[in-house]
Amino acid sequence: MLGITSLALLDTIGLSLGLYLALVLRSVVFGDPVLWSLLWRTESEEWLPFLIPITLLVFWQAGLYATRERRAGLGRVASSLLLVALIVLAFGYGTGYDFNTTGLIPTALVVCAITIGLLRAAYDSFTLELQRLLHARRRALLLGSGQSLATLRRMLSGKRAGIAYEFVDVLPPERDKELSERIALTRPDEVILNEGDFDEAAVLEIVETAHAAGVKVRIAPKTTDLLLQRGEYVPGQGMPLFELRPPVLAGTDWVVKKAFDLVVSAIVVLVGLPFWVLIALAIRLDSRGPVLYRDRRVGVGEREFGMLKFRTMVEGAAELQDELEDQNEAGGALFKIREDPRLTRVGRVLRRLSLDELPQVLNVLGGEMSLVGPRPLPVRDYERLEGWHRKRYNVLPGITGLWQISGRSSLTFDDLVRLDFYYIENWSIWLDISILVKTLPAVIAGRGAY
């Protein structure tokens, strides 16, 4: 309850501050004096008592006051504020209110999203640090075996949405009958099982046993389950049947994503052009060869295309890769070496900050890539894929994606493919925005980048 109250208070402050800053911007544009009293004049005085409860109610409905692990991020904040803006417009026009400055609402929408987002980020950072100081951990009892259990432990190790796990016990499938006894002995907060290691009857029994003991149950789905999220019930059958629709963006979804990609990419090119020139100059002064490198990658529909990058390696680096295969540090189909001898001095810096990827916005403008999506693989890596991996080629590849904000090279290849499946099945423009927002801190931290 304290957490909900704190977040609601921060949202109220962020909303008020955002509206004030929007009014300040309007005053600057029209040459009016900028006063703190703007917050208690005209639009603010009339609308804040209405905006605050409406915003809190919309945020509540959107799940923005859920527990930390279930709480949505900046994308949901922005979409909720858009709904609030539409409510304000509908109410205003319905009551005959005269909106004398139509630009104030979109400006306030953007500024409020930023202020509320920053305050929420500060809150999450503070509470996370507080949990670390207090050594707060969630006690989990794991059920599974073999490689699947190892993968589950690895994915849950560290922090999941800011929550650290302590694994109090592990039960293999053949000993699941001991669950009740182990729960009483270890007193876990959660029972987490790997669904692929148990049959349906065993899963149902585990759930019943844990719930009877008052313990939450979480299930790590099989990879195939990640492919079924677009299932659609087909009525009129003798038994429930679900039709699986192909996860290809079409119609309005495709138009929204395409428009977003083009607008943002064009802005990146125009604003970043002077910076690009500096990078190009550094590359030319550091080593011989072209500034841009066209890497053969496999994109949507499993078709090859030339992905643009700032050159980070010496000339002829591609021909030297075969000699370095025995030094490969990545698992699965990937090829990665932390101290790749082919990298130039400038190239190491560009790789560390992921600046070598910037020219790919030109691929986005050319329709070969998207800002967000499954990462395109080199032809060498593509040829080593297993059959079930290839579903990732149903959508345009991206400059960034869940790989980049979830550990990148620190994850196994199968883990990365599962993230691609999740993205494909759960796409929304707000998911894209959230990934883009989270990419910058991931790049700065250099998680898995080499």
Side-chain angles (χ1 to χ4, degrees), residues 154 328-332 334-338 351 354 357 375 381 402-416 419 442 446-450:
R154 183 177 62 255
N328 184 19
E329 300 175 27
L334 298 180
F335 179 87
K336 291 283 185 179
I337 302 177
R338 290 184 184 274
R351 286 283 188 97
S354 297
E357 313 287 359
R375 192 70 182 140
D381 297 359
L402 289 178
W403 287 26
Q404 280 64 32
I405 64 173
S406 303
R408 304 169 79 178
S409 305
S410 303
L411 301 178
T412 70
F413 184 72
D414 283 355
D415 295 339
L416 296 175
L419 291 176
R447 294 197 296 268
Y450 55 88

Side-chain angles (χ1 to χ4, degrees), residues 291-330:
V291 170
L292 294 179
Y293 173 68
R294 189 178 292 272
D295 195 12
R296 301 307 302 173
R297 298 287 177 119
V298 179
V300 65
E302 303 185 52
R303 294 187 294 270
E304 288 188 29
F305 73 100
M307 188 183 78
L308 295 172
K309 303 180 71 173
F310 282 123
R311 182 176 59 83
T312 59
M313 294 186 173
V314 297
E315 281 192 288
E319 289 73 25
L320 299 174
Q321 182 167 322
D322 289 342
E323 302 174 12
L324 300 172
E325 285 288 350
D326 59 342
Q327 300 180 40
N328 184 19
E329 300 175 27

